Amino acid sequence: MEAAHDMKGYWRNIRTAVTTLKTGLKVTAKHMKDARTQRTAIVPAADNYFEKQNAIFTVQYPKEKLPVPEHGRYKLHNEIDDCIVCDKCAKICPVDCIEIIPLRAVEEIGKTSDGTPKRLYAEKFNIDMAKCCFCGLCTTVCPTECLTMTDEYDFSAYDFEEHNVPFANMTPLEILEKRKELEEYNKQKEAAKAVRKEEIVPKEKPAVAVEPKSASGKPVFKPRVPGAKPKVAVKPQVPKKDDVEDNKPKAEEAKPKPRPVFKPKIHPKQKTEGSEEKKEEVPKKPARPVMRPKIKPKDTDNDKKD
């Protein structure tokens, strides 16, 4: 019995294997029929994208690349000639993958493609693509639209440091020269400020000219020039008493009198009749007459009769 049962299971397994192999060969034969045509590379947003799923589609990368959507968020690129080094992209970046070192220029160094003046050099402008989360916030805040996202989606590199992409185009020698120019400009600016402060400070008053006197001590009278008005001697003004009193320091003024302290008046209590000191002053109330009931005497004679 056991041997017959084992034989049935053996043939059952062979039958299952044949049916599964037949089903797989049907799928392969159908694919070989559809694989006679080559599929063209189209964007996923195309209307007939799902109609060409059965054709052969092999990309010979890097000679051929898959088409990507126009508004896809991929590798960042900065057009440094249009960058005004405003530092907005570095401030809004949530992962701090943008590193910028600005260098101030002495004067306007040019204009961007949209006419914005440039007054700062980009001493350093690096973007670490390994940290970038491709959120696109840096591209939205850029005022000159110099920071954009390209269609490059391949980030493969032999060295990990290659992910930190530099965009600044200044050499170390140019950086030193621009720094020296800025230092000299700041020194000249400080010197000009110091000169302006000296000009603003009022100068000393000129000395009063003293009239020459003769040997006898009397003043020398100059001849009168025709057409010139004679100078009128101004008498010194004597201050009035009222002005002198007004100019006195406030300490000499009379101090205000302190306000009087008001104390509550307490009325003395009226003393009773039993007080010895003011016994006469207290008026006596008239005494009321005592009402006593009248009691009639009992009739003794009537009681006896009864």
Side-chain angles (χ1 to χ4, degrees):
M1 294 293 292
E2 293 180 359
H5 182 70
D6 292 340
M7 288 298 293
K8 287 182 181 179
Y10 173 74
W11 291 110
R12 188 184 301 111
N13 292 337
I14 292 175
R15 188 166 53 251
T16 304
V18 171
T19 51
T20 54
L21 181 62
K22 190 186 292 185
T23 305
L25 289 172
K26 284 182 181 179
V27 174
T28 305
K30 186 180 178 181
H31 179 71
M32 289 177 67
K33 182 182 178 181
D34 296 335
R36 289 179 298 175
T37 58
Q38 180 71 22
R39 179 184 172 186
T40 56
I42 57 176
V43 183
D47 296 334
N48 58 348
Y49 179 78
F50 293 100
E51 295 177 2
K52 297 185 177 182
Q53 292 291 330
N54 298 326
I56 294 175
F57 182 57
T58 303
V59 178
Q60 296 180 2
Y61 189 82
K63 295 180 181 179
E64 296 179 4
K65 291 184 180 181
L66 287 170
V68 295
E70 294 180 359
H71 301 288
R73 291 184 287 188
Y74 301 102
K75 196 172 184 180
L76 287 167
H77 174 72
N78 183 27
E79 193 65 34
I80 198 65
D81 294 333
D82 288 341
C83 183
I84 58 174
V85 199
C86 61
D87 202 24
K88 288 184 179 180
C89 54
K91 290 177 180 177
I92 202 170
C93 182
V95 293
D96 296 333
C97 69
I98 302 175
E99 186 179 2
I100 301 174
I101 299 177
L103 181 60
R104 185 184 172 189
V106 177
E107 56 186 2
E108 186 177 325
I109 57 177
K111 291 186 178 181
T112 60
S113 58
D114 60 350
T116 307
K118 295 174 66 176
R119 296 183 179 88
L120 294 172
Y121 292 104
E123 183 178 335
K124 186 177 183 181
F125 197 110
N126 292 3
I127 300 177
D128 195 349
M129 300 298 175
K131 293 181 181 178
C132 182
C133 62
F134 310 103
C135 61
L137 293 175
C138 55
T139 60
T140 56
V141 299
C142 184
T144 58
E145 297 182 359
C146 65
L147 195 62
T148 55
M149 283 188 164
T150 61
D151 57 352
E152 186 178 354
Y153 53 83
D154 184 13
F155 294 90
S156 58
Y158 291 101
D159 191 359
F160 190 78
E161 294 182 357
E162 293 180 10
H163 291 292
N164 195 3
V165 182
F167 291 98
N169 53 8
M170 291 184 70
T171 61
L173 184 61
E174 289 178 353
I175 293 171
L176 291 173
E177 289 178 357
K178 300 303 179 183
R179 284 184 179 177
K180 288 181 180 178
E181 288 180 5
L182 182 61
E183 289 177 0
E184 292 177 0
Y185 176 76
N186 290 334
K187 288 179 181 178
Q188 292 176 2
K189 198 172 182 180
E190 290 176 0
K193 283 183 180 179
V195 172
R196 288 177 186 174
K197 286 182 181 179
E198 291 178 357
E199 292 177 356
I200 292 170
V201 174
K203 298 180 180 180
E204 295 181 358
K205 294 181 180 180
V208 180
V210 182
E211 294 182 356
K213 295 183 178 181
S214 60
S216 61
K218 294 181 180 181
V220 178
F221 293 97
K222 295 180 181 180
R224 185 177 177 183
V225 180
K229 294 182 179 180
K231 294 182 180 180
V232 181
V234 181
K235 295 182 179 180
Q237 295 181 358
V238 180
K240 298 180 182 179
K241 291 183 179 181
D242 297 338
D243 298 336
V244 175
E245 290 177 359
D246 293 339
N247 295 329
K248 285 183 179 181
K250 293 183 179 179
E252 296 179 4
E253 295 180 358
K255 295 182 179 179
K257 295 181 180 180
R259 295 181 179 179
V261 181
F262 294 97
K263 296 182 180 179
K265 294 181 181 180
I266 301 172
H267 297 284
K269 294 182 180 180
Q270 292 181 359
K271 295 192 176 183
T272 57
E273 295 178 0
S275 61
E276 297 178 357
E277 295 178 357
K278 296 183 179 180
K279 193 179 269 187
E280 298 177 358
E281 294 179 2
V282 179
K284 292 182 179 181
K285 294 181 181 180
R288 293 181 180 180
V290 180
M291 300 297 292
R292 294 180 181 178
K294 293 181 181 182
I295 301 171
K296 293 181 180 181
K298 294 180 180 182
D299 294 337
T300 55
D301 296 338
N302 295 332
D303 293 337
K304 288 178 181 181
K305 287 178 181 183
D306 293 336

